[in-house]
Amino acid sequence: KSYGLQVASLAGVPKEVVNNAKRKLQQLESTSHNRAPETTPLQSTLDLAEPQTDPAMELLHSIDPDELTPKKALDLIYQLRKMSK
């Protein structure tokens, strides 16, 4: 058994990414039992499209905490909380 997904989760990989990987793994495992091994590389069978970015995460990455005033930090917390709903 592989523990890669558990390690990814512990390493802080976003839950959405881990959940997508779990679904894809289940999909691959269920189809691999029903047919002979494929000759194409695994990468060609996976959907490796760029994940959609979360606006809240983009906002967090754009913040320079050393430049925030206490009021601005509080405003950002409220803004992030509103975005999460």
Side-chain angles (χ1 to χ4, degrees):
K1 182 174 178 173
S2 173
Y3 294 98
L5 294 175
Q6 289 87 350
V7 171
S9 183
L10 290 172
V13 173
K15 287 182 182 180
E16 181 180 0
V17 173
V18 174
N19 289 336
N20 286 339
K22 284 180 184 177
R23 281 193 297 276
K24 194 58 162 178
L25 178 60
Q26 289 172 346
Q27 193 177 44
L28 289 171
E29 288 176 340
S30 68
T31 59
S32 68
H33 294 292
N34 299 331
R35 60 182 166 174
E38 295 186 18
T39 57
T40 58
L42 181 60
Q43 284 87 2
S44 67
T45 63
L46 294 175
D47 179 15
L48 297 176
E50 286 292 317
Q52 293 182 350
T53 56
D54 182 3
M57 292 303 290
E58 286 181 13
L59 178 60
L60 280 173
H61 289 290
S62 71
I63 296 170
D64 181 2
D66 295 328
E67 299 295 321
L68 290 177
T69 64
K71 173 68 172 133
K72 183 66 177 171
L74 186 59
D75 290 342
L76 282 168
I77 290 171
Y78 281 117
Q79 184 179 355
L80 289 166
R81 185 168 183 221
K82 186 176 182 180
M83 292 171 81
S84 72
K85 291 183 180 180

